[in-house]
Amino acid sequence: PVYFATSARGNLRDLYKDLSDTRNAVNEGSVLRLIGNSIELSFNLGQLGALTPPAQIADDWNREFRTLERAVDAVTAAISNSASVSQMKKRISAAQNQAKVTLGVVRRLE
């Protein structure tokens, strides 16, 4: 549980930061940075997906992580499809909110 909690907290914080960086790139209109951020977001999800949650939170973790994956996928799809700025920001906010929810599951181990 300690390894999982430490790794998950760090990776979720990285994901949240990368989502903030994505919002900044949207605000600046930097297409190249958006592409780089999309890669970072996928990497973050890969790291989180490789973790095995302890039994006491496994069901909640798996449910919230799947929701987080969908939220982040919506952000990367918005980037790929050149969605409007407002649509991208909306999706980024949803993903950040879900990252917080998922972090809340991890904090139950503390």
Side-chain angles (χ1 to χ4, degrees), residues 2 17-18 20 23 30 43 47-48 51-52 69 91 105:
V2 172
K17 180 195 162 297
D18 289 337
S20 294
R23 180 185 312 279
S30 178
F43 180 75
Q47 288 180 305
L48 288 164
L51 298 173
T52 303
E69 282 182 307
R91 291 180 183 189
V105 173

Side-chain angles (χ1 to χ4, degrees), residues 35-72:
I35 293 167
N37 289 344
S38 180
I39 293 166
E40 285 293 322
L41 294 172
S42 295
F43 180 75
N44 293 137
L45 283 180
Q47 288 180 305
L48 288 164
L51 298 173
T52 303
Q56 65 261 41
I57 64 162
D59 289 341
D60 291 339
W61 167 264
N62 291 331
R63 181 184 62 249
E64 298 304 341
F65 179 68
R66 283 191 302 272
T67 303
L68 179 61
E69 282 182 307
R70 287 191 299 272
V72 172

Side-chain angles (χ1 to χ4, degrees), residues 8 12 19 29-30 55 57 67 69 78 81 86 89 98 107-108:
L12 285 165
L19 287 163
S30 178
I57 64 162
T67 303
E69 282 182 307
N81 298 327
S86 64
K89 287 181 179 181
Q98 185 57 38
R107 287 190 173 140
R108 291 185 4 216

Side-chain angles (χ1 to χ4, degrees), residues 10-29:
N11 289 324
L12 285 165
R13 287 181 183 134
D14 285 347
L15 175 66
Y16 194 91
K17 180 195 162 297
D18 289 337
L19 287 163
S20 294
D21 291 346
T22 302
R23 180 185 312 279
N24 291 338
V26 168
N27 289 335
E28 295 167 8

